[in-house]
Amino acid sequence: EFSTIALPANRYNIKTDPRLSLRAVGDGLADDRAAIAAAINTISAAGGGVLYLPAGTYRIPWRSGDALTGESGVVFQG
């Protein structure tokens, strides 16, 4: 069952939020895949929220068998 958290109140900035163990760079050069995947899992475990990706170029190289998956209650904003 989806949490009743007010999603905008539970907003995570992928570049700066101290609740995230990894942070994305968004410079088009750094591999941001691990940071985005970890953020999705953290937000989902917290009951849901908004993953905010500020302006930038987020590099997410494709890897066989290593897809990014959306989780219930995680909203992307950018």
Side-chain angles (χ1 to χ4, degrees):
E1 180 175 310
F2 182 68
S3 171
T4 58
I5 289 177
L7 293 180
N10 202 24
R11 187 172 184 245
Y12 295 72
N13 184 318
I14 191 70
K15 289 185 176 183
T16 62
D17 199 299
R19 296 172 290 180
L20 300 175
S21 59
L22 299 172
R23 291 179 194 85
V25 178
D27 65 358
L29 301 173
D31 182 345
D32 292 317
R33 171 183 287 281
I36 293 170
I40 292 168
N41 292 334
T42 296
I43 296 167
S44 179
V50 175
L51 177 55
Y52 174 62
L53 293 96
T57 301
Y58 297 89
R59 188 170 158 262
I60 308 169
W62 181 85
R63 294 183 187 115
S64 180
D66 189 21
L68 285 177
T69 57
E71 295 290 334
S72 178
V74 179
V75 176
F76 290 82
Q77 179 186 26

